[in-house]
Amino acid sequence: MEHQYFTLDGQISVGFLKKRNFTGSYKGMRYNMFVKDNQIVAATYPQPYCWECTPEEQKTTRSFELSQEGLDAAIAWLNESWGDFSWQE
């Protein structure tokens, strides 16, 4: 299993995502998760700007099944994505 930099256990659920976006940041990487077209969309983008102010070309997105397994996979993908960021501390 790959290394997990951060977890979101107890902070997010599929039910929460059905109602609103979940945003946050971790050591230079911002992330946004939301439901679109009955799928979980996870996105990463660089700090310092918010989602709305970050140019589209700086955002990377990936879609996952709208389920607990999909949410777990989205969180794992966020961890993998952070490992690829060049601005790691």
Side-chain angles (χ1 to χ4, degrees):
M1 182 174 171
E2 70 278 344
H3 176 42
Q4 283 214 279
Y5 299 102
F6 64 101
T7 66
L8 299 175
D9 294 340
Q11 298 179 43
I12 186 171
S13 67
V14 173
F16 179 92
L17 280 179
K18 288 180 179 180
K19 296 178 183 177
R20 61 183 338 188
N21 291 16
F22 183 81
T23 61
S25 63
Y26 183 76
K27 295 186 179 181
M29 179 187 81
R30 288 183 157 269
Y31 54 88
N32 188 4
M33 286 195 284
F34 52 93
V35 173
K36 181 177 180 183
D37 298 329
N38 210 32
Q39 291 192 311
I40 295 171
V41 178
T44 61
Y45 55 103
Q47 289 185 353
Y49 303 112
C50 68
W51 176 256
E52 294 80 12
C53 296
T54 299
E56 289 300 315
E57 62 272 7
Q58 292 184 8
K59 298 174 184 175
T60 302
T61 62
R62 187 162 169 199
S63 297
F64 300 88
E65 175 185 313
L66 184 58
S67 66
Q68 183 60 50
E69 293 80 14
L71 179 57
D72 294 342
I75 293 168
W77 179 77
L78 291 175
N79 275 287
E80 291 171 19
S81 297
W82 185 81
D84 293 339
F85 276 33
S86 62
W87 56 75
Q88 293 183 46
E89 295 183 351

